[in-house]
Amino acid sequence: MSPWVVVSAILIGLAIAWAGITGLRAASGASRGVTDARVKREAEDVEDLDVFFVCRECGTEYQVTRLGELQVPRHCGETMEVVQRPRGLSSS
């Protein structure tokens, strides 16, 4: 067997492995997690804005007092709605 055939086979194998790993990382979102981890924001106080998460199924409400990365909670199997009320109408 010629050494060129062996070298070519190894190079082709490495290229296929690299393409597979790159494709899997792109599909899994691994590259997004790295950039998001570097950009961490401090939570800020938003209690005076009167923002609430409201469940439209049962009426449960959560007042938002500190806001970091926005992740709307789920309640009764549905995503809660974000509601901002005018000052004085909150039920606290």
Side-chain angles (χ1 to χ4, degrees):
M1 207 185 292
S2 170
W4 296 110
V5 173
V6 174
V7 170
S8 297
I10 291 173
L11 289 176
I12 291 172
L14 289 174
I16 290 172
W18 176 81
I21 290 171
T22 303
L24 284 174
R25 291 177 99 191
S28 70
S31 61
R32 286 190 307 240
V34 171
T35 57
D36 291 345
R38 286 187 228 151
V39 184
K40 279 285 191 189
R41 295 186 309 165
E42 291 292 321
E44 62 180 281
D45 188 17
V46 294
E47 188 171 4
D48 56 334
L49 296 178
D50 290 331
V51 177
F52 294 84
F53 290 127
V54 179
C55 176
R56 293 294 175 199
E57 295 291 321
C58 68
T60 301
E61 298 182 358
Y62 298 118
Q63 183 174 8
V64 179
T65 57
R66 294 188 54 83
L67 186 63
E69 293 183 24
L70 181 62
Q71 293 181 354
V72 179
R74 297 177 64 86
H75 195 266
C76 294
E78 298 294 325
T79 303
M80 297 179 87
E81 185 175 317
V82 179
V83 177
Q84 183 174 7
R85 297 194 179 117
R87 194 57 129 157
L89 297 179
S90 63
S91 59
S92 5

